[in-house]
Amino acid sequence: MKTIYFDNNATTRIADEVFEEMRPYFCELYGNPSSMHTFGGQIGRKIRSSREQVAGLLGCDPIEIIFTSGGTESDNAAVKGTLAASPNKRKIITTRVEHPAVLAVCRDMENHGYTVVELPVDKQGHINLDQLEEQIDDDTALVTIMYANNETGVVFPIDKIAELVTGRGIVFHTDAVQAVGKIPLNLSKSNIDLLSLSGHKLHAPKGVGALYVRKGTRIQPFMLGGHQEAGKRAGTENVPGIVGLGVACELAAKDIEEESNRVKYLRDKLENAVLEKCPDARLNGDKENRLPNTSNISFEFIEGEAILLMLDKYGICASSGSACTSGSLEPSHVLRAMGVPFTAAHGSIRFSLSRYNTEEEVDYTIEKMPGIINRLRELSPFVTK
Ligand code: PLP
């Protein structure tokens, strides 16, 4: 049975072009970029060119890119590195809908005497900018707000938020793990100080990512050791991963508008048909300001996990929340923060598409969904017949 993969916010397949470029860096070009010999030196040059490719996608200077092990490390480094660089300030402002890679670190900082403000969101998944402004004070070291939500795809007005926050001695970080490669970003026209991205969300391998650090932003290194990454992130570089990330960024930059329109067409076709054909289904999150690939739909009175299992029988992969929270019976913290009723939050499914999905796959899923939902409703103890 063919696999239909609609779980691209969890992870993506490596693009063929990315894999081919990485291949020689395992067994042939395996030198250490810090070595004095020519064999290692050529690797250093390749890393420089990968850095340029990443910077090209983001519209920043290559020296502002630090390679990391992924989104989680970039988020941790941004939060902890900023706080360490501003020891006299004790307040962090974030949102209730961040990924655990940000929320868990912020909450941990509470154990170290920091005040953490988690801004609420409305039904659409948006924060209130007046509330954000009210919370900003002289004690605020960091504001960290995600670019796009991993569960709903809701895109925050990050450039506007960055403008509001910066220029007051406060660092502004955004977790852009889900946005990079899916929507165009231009850091040369933004006030963002720090931005996290992850390779495996944009057709590069797992275990590589980057942190953008605007020139002049005060941040203490998170990983201590050798002098790699201009002393900002110690540890021998994940060369094949970095090479892969560079190519993936170049590929994404090449046709981001065209690809995002094509993926949006498929997502909308799937979403509209499911909402139309399945009774008591509702879309979660702002319909307009959303990633082009993501659709989060709640089906009242049934379990998301049961829908996933039935989809799985047809070879269709989706998700009932973020990859990190599924496996727990708690409804998603994102949907709860948006006030999605308990009965609907439990029955939520996320479809997340990529450039590799086809219309045929969408049509097949549209054909299967109503039968799955009707069957589960018949079995549901919450539905009165
Ligand atoms: N931030 C967001 C918004 C994510 O969706 C994820 C992964 O799902 C992460 C951070 C963590 O990234 P990584 O898996 O590269 O550590």
Side-chain angles (χ1 to χ4, degrees), residues 32-33 228 233-239:
N32 188 322
Q228 293 89 353
R233 196 274 187 187
T236 302
E237 297 86 342
N238 167 6
V239 177

Side-chain angles (χ1 to χ4, degrees), residues 9-10 69-73 75 99 101 146 148 150 175 177-178 198-201 208 324:
N9 285 9
S69 66
T72 301
E73 185 191 321
D75 286 342
H99 187 274
M146 67 197 332
N150 43 303
D175 173 346
V177 162
Q178 293 293 346
S198 171
H200 74 106
K201 310 289 184 178
V208 68
C324 313

Side-chain angles (χ1 to χ4, degrees), residues 252-318:
K254 210 165 66 185
D255 41 24
I256 196 160
E257 303 271 1
E258 201 183 310
E259 279 302 332
S260 106
N261 283 339
R262 201 187 72 83
V263 168
K264 183 175 182 302
Y265 163 76
L266 294 180
R267 189 273 313 265
D268 288 347
K269 183 171 186 190
L270 176 64
E271 178 176 289
N272 291 335
V274 168
L275 290 173
E276 192 193 314
K277 290 172 195 272
C278 303
D280 293 318
R282 50 178 271 179
L283 180 71
N284 294 314
D286 182 353
K287 189 169 164 52
E288 300 310 320
N289 298 305
R290 202 163 37 128
L291 294 173
N293 79 320
T294 310
S295 181
N296 188 310
I297 302 176
S298 278
F299 301 89
E300 284 271 5
F301 312 123
I302 47 181
E303 292 287 334
E305 282 69 21
I307 307 173
L308 288 188
L309 288 178
M310 291 186 78
L311 283 171
D312 196 48
K313 283 203 182 133
Y314 295 115
I316 303 167
C317 309

Side-chain angles (χ1 to χ4, degrees), residues 90-300:
R90 312 294 290 176
K91 183 171 172 181
I92 310 166
I93 303 174
T94 185
T95 78
R96 285 193 194 154
V97 296
E98 298 300 309
H99 187 274
V102 166
L103 264 190
V105 196
C106 290
R107 288 178 185 168
D108 183 52
M109 295 318 291
E110 279 183 318
N111 301 326
H112 299 275
Y114 285 86
T115 302
V116 179
V117 175
E118 294 178 14
L119 296 169
V121 294
D122 61 20
K123 282 192 164 62
Q124 303 277 298
H126 285 296
I127 57 163
N128 178 326
L129 297 193
D130 293 334
Q131 268 180 4
L132 166 63
E133 213 162 2
E134 278 162 26
Q135 286 295 341
I136 294 173
D137 59 19
D138 292 343
D139 203 29
T140 309
L142 172 74
V143 176
T144 171
I145 297 178
M146 67 197 332
Y147 211 111
N149 187 272
N150 43 303
E151 295 189 32
T152 59
V154 169
V155 174
F156 289 82
I158 286 300
D159 287 338
K160 209 164 148 189
I161 295 173
E163 211 171 295
L164 208 126
V165 170
T166 50
R168 307 180 185 205
I170 301 168
V171 171
F172 179 65
H173 166 248
T174 185
D175 173 346
V177 162
Q178 293 293 346
V180 172
K182 293 180 186 143
I183 51 175
L185 309 189
N186 188 350
L187 291 173
S188 72
K189 295 210 169 105
S190 159
N191 288 1
I192 296 168
D193 294 312
L194 303 171
L195 176 143
S196 306
L197 67 94
S198 171
H200 74 106
K201 310 289 184 178
L202 72 149
H203 306 291
K206 296 160 186 64
V208 68
L211 179 65
Y212 157 82
V213 182
R214 176 182 292 282
K215 272 177 237 160
T217 305
R218 280 159 42 83
I219 178 165
Q220 292 269 321
F222 174 67
M223 302 276 270
L224 302 178
H227 293 99
Q228 293 89 353
E229 297 296 289
K232 292 182 185 131
R233 196 274 187 187
T236 302
E237 297 86 342
N238 167 6
V239 177
I242 289 171
V243 169
L245 179 59
V247 180
C249 287
E250 192 173 288
L251 282 176
K254 210 165 66 185
D255 41 24
I256 196 160
E257 303 271 1
E258 201 183 310
E259 279 302 332
S260 106
N261 283 339
R262 201 187 72 83
V263 168
K264 183 175 182 302
Y265 163 76
L266 294 180
R267 189 273 313 265
D268 288 347
K269 183 171 186 190
L270 176 64
E271 178 176 289
N272 291 335
V274 168
L275 290 173
E276 192 193 314
K277 290 172 195 272
C278 303
D280 293 318
R282 50 178 271 179
L283 180 71
N284 294 314
D286 182 353
K287 189 169 164 52
E288 300 310 320
N289 298 305
R290 202 163 37 128
L291 294 173
N293 79 320
T294 310
S295 181
N296 188 310
I297 302 176
S298 278
F299 301 89
E300 284 271 5

